[in-house]
Amino acid sequence: MWEYGETGLTGWIVTRPTPVKVAHLARTPYATCSYWDPTHDVALADCAVEWIEDTATRTRVWERFRDAAPPLGFDFWSSFPDGPAGVTTSLLKLDPYRLRVSGMDALLGKRPHLNWSRSAAA
């Protein structure tokens, strides 16, 4: 889920802190999120990533997912029965530093890709 607020764009992922994820993010705290649809619209977000341990933030984001309209909305209680503060539940915060949006016209070279980067915006 993405939020736009006073500090800019922030992404959130409710997930499990598996050993592979924990080790990867400890060594390289970055991830790229991509979205694709059948018409070949594509969005990429290169992000710095951090684990959020704060229970109030975890609960707030959990409730935002729960209350969001379909298809985004999801009640995590079935997947994480110990709740937002549980040991099997974790929250990742995404801080994008580069965004790229492309449609079929851009992929065919008829229009430029839309690009944004924090360094270019500063």
Side-chain angles (χ1 to χ4, degrees):
M1 176 180 291
W2 295 97
E3 294 180 311
Y4 189 78
E6 292 178 12
T7 60
L9 187 63
T10 302
W12 301 104
I13 299 174
V14 176
T15 189
R16 295 186 192 287
T18 65
V20 171
K21 287 178 197 165
V22 170
H24 171 82
L25 293 175
R27 182 171 173 92
T28 310
Y30 300 96
T32 297
C33 299
S34 66
Y35 301 91
W36 173 86
D37 76 9
T39 65
H40 299 292
D41 288 338
V42 177
L44 299 170
D46 293 326
C47 304
V49 179
E50 67 177 294
W51 296 102
I52 300 299
E53 301 299 329
D54 172 54
T55 301
T57 302
R58 289 168 64 158
T59 300
R60 181 187 68 77
V61 172
W62 177 289
E63 291 172 352
R64 281 202 51 145
F65 272 103
R66 181 198 64 206
D67 297 342
L72 179 61
F74 185 77
D75 189 352
F76 288 106
W77 283 105
S78 62
S79 300
F80 300 95
D82 55 348
V87 295
T88 65
T89 309
S90 222
L91 181 65
L92 291 174
K93 178 182 178 183
L94 307 174
D95 180 18
Y97 57 87
R98 183 173 39 235
L99 303 172
R100 181 178 183 133
V101 178
S102 302
M104 183 54 80
D105 286 347
L107 295 173
L108 294 172
K110 296 178 181 178
R111 170 185 310 186
H113 300 275
L114 300 175
N115 295 294
W116 172 89
S117 66
R118 182 177 304 127
S119 60

